[in-house]
């Protein structure tokens, strides 16, 4: 197989692993103390909310590092305030610290205002 075909095969493999998580695995992430949620339920969009502020919507995309079972979702706010939200999701057991539930993903979220939050993610309907 020549170099071109190897490059094409690698690109297709890499692209399919990113698409498999980002396009097919909706998740709802959340944290406690402070309480917050990040909905990644529709491809290309995210909604971040807290109990004391209106939700903020973001447009962006995910990319996955399959060997490390990590995904990064990065997006820009659709509102006038702008700013970038970055969520680092990692596959593996996560405890929310307030219940006995174990969730399938952990998450670290970097917000446009500089705050950094950590929490867990669940798959809707499970």
């Amino acid at each position: 197989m020549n170099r071109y075909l190897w490059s094409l095969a690698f690109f297709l493999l890499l692209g399919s692993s990113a698409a498999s998580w980002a396009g097919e695995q909706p998740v709802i992430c959340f944290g406690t103390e402070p309480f917050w949620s990040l909905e990644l339920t529709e491809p290309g969009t995210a909604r971040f909310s807290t109990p004391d502020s209106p939700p903020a919507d973001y447009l962006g995309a995910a990319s996955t590092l399959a060997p490390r079972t990590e995904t990064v979702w990065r997006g820009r706010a659709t509102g006038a305030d702008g700013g970038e939200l970055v969520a680092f999701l990692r596959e593996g057991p996560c405890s929310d610290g307030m219940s006995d539930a174990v969730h399938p993903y952990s998450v670290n979220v970097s917000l446009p205002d500089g705050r950094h939050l950590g929490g867990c993610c669940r798959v809707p309907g499970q």
Side-chain angles (χ1 to χ4, degrees):
M1 194 182 271
N2 68 29
R3 225 160 82 184
Y4 170 76
L5 290 177
W6 275 111
S7 298
L8 180 60
F10 179 75
F11 175 76
L12 290 173
L13 177 64
L14 196 62
S16 67
S17 68
S20 68
W21 191 91
E24 298 173 15
Q25 186 66 56
V27 294
I28 298 173
C29 304
F30 56 92
T32 58
E33 299 182 29
F35 289 97
W36 58 269
S37 71
L38 175 65
E39 296 178 22
L40 297 166
T41 56
E42 298 290 327
T45 64
R47 173 169 275 187
F48 179 83
S49 61
T50 65
D52 56 351
S53 63
D57 294 321
Y58 295 83
L59 296 176
S63 62
T64 299
L65 293 172
R68 293 183 55 146
T69 64
E70 290 181 331
T71 296
V72 175
W73 194 95
R74 180 183 308 270
R76 284 215 153 290
T78 60
D81 292 340
E84 186 175 63
L85 176 141
V86 182
F88 300 88
L89 298 105
R90 185 167 187 112
E91 191 175 335
C94 182
S95 170
D96 60 23
M98 299 208 41
S99 71
D100 292 333
V102 176
H103 306 282
Y105 300 97
S106 61
V107 65
N108 289 309
V109 179
S110 176
L111 298 171
D113 65 6
R115 288 183 291 163
H116 176 236
L117 304 170
C120 298
C121 302
R122 65 178 179 81
V123 177
Q126 291 185 347

